[in-house]
Amino acid sequence: GRGYTATQWGYARPCDATCENEAWHLWGGGRELSSEQMGGFLADLAALIRESDALMREELLPQVPGWTERGDHDEAVEWASTQLGRAEAEGVSVWPVADGGWHVPGEPLHVSIGGEVLLSLSPKRAATLTRLFRRLTGEPLSGLVPLRLVNYCFWRTEVFRETGEYAGFTMRGADLGVVQ
């Protein structure tokens, strides 16, 4: 969770308003999870990672201005960073949504700032992503999630050298000359 410590996450009762969220109710609260619950959580997390990777490759990156399979990604990196900053400052929305902010099944999901559509997800991908996100967090999918996926895809945490060694720090892939 965001905005509180691991100790606060383990409290039997929410520590304050920042701890009071659906994920805390699902997984926190100082209770032990059964091996079945933990297995389900890890399976959903692995599925979310796989789905996010496929979503990036097949749907989101092709919509990013300046993105190409090979080449200089400076324009795409700048766009992703700028849009994430705008979303955090101005607010971002997803639509269409039903009551409670949930994705409308069978419809594409659009991510927008101030009415400007930035990204769209196909109905199938939107349904899968929102289902997994809901199972893990108990909350509707925020428009920040697809924008963060795009922004973070340009960063690397393990950079392998020709010698086989790697550096375990986070840097923009574009700054390293990494071609995706």
Side-chain angles (χ1 to χ4, degrees):
R2 286 166 51 98
Y4 43 87
T5 67
T7 302
Q8 291 169 326
W9 179 260
Y11 287 165
R13 289 184 304 183
C15 53
D16 58 31
T18 61
C19 289
E20 184 66 29
N21 65 37
E22 293 303 317
W24 183 89
H25 288 288
L26 288 169
W27 312 110
R31 68 182 173 279
E32 292 184 21
L33 300 177
S34 69
S35 58
E36 183 178 312
Q37 288 173 308
M38 196 65 200
F41 173 81
L42 293 174
D44 285 344
L45 185 58
L48 181 62
I49 291 168
R50 283 191 308 275
E51 183 62 26
S52 296
D53 288 345
L55 174 67
M56 287 301 303
R57 270 190 323 275
E58 298 168 15
E59 293 192 20
L60 296 182
L61 284 176
Q63 297 177 61
V64 173
W67 170 254
T68 60
E69 282 292 322
R70 300 202 178 276
D72 181 4
H73 298 124
D74 286 348
E75 182 183 349
V77 169
E78 182 65 27
W79 182 88
S81 177
T82 300
Q83 299 313 318
L84 183 59
R86 279 183 62 206
E88 290 171 343
E90 300 172 33
V92 62
S93 61
V94 292
W95 56 275
V97 293
D99 290 338
W102 300 106
H103 168 248
V104 177
E107 295 287 330
L109 188 67
H110 306 287
V111 177
S112 64
I113 298 174
E116 175 190 356
V117 174
L118 303 175
L119 299 167
S120 295
L121 287 69
S122 70
K124 180 181 176 185
R125 289 265 190 244
T128 302
L129 187 65
T130 55
R131 177 181 51 81
L132 289 167
F133 194 80
R134 181 179 192 172
R135 285 172 52 165
L136 288 166
T137 69
E139 298 174 358
L141 182 70
S142 160
L144 286 173
V145 171
L147 287 173
R148 285 184 177 140
L149 285 173
V150 169
N151 189 55
Y152 297 151
C153 83
F154 296 109
W155 292 77
R156 297 291 179 264
T157 56
E158 292 183 353
V159 180
F160 289 90
R161 298 181 180 142
E162 292 176 14
T163 62
E165 300 173 61
Y166 71 92
F169 54 87
T170 303
M171 265 188 106
R172 275 192 331 180
D175 292 338
L176 299 168
V178 174
V179 178
Q180 296 186 341

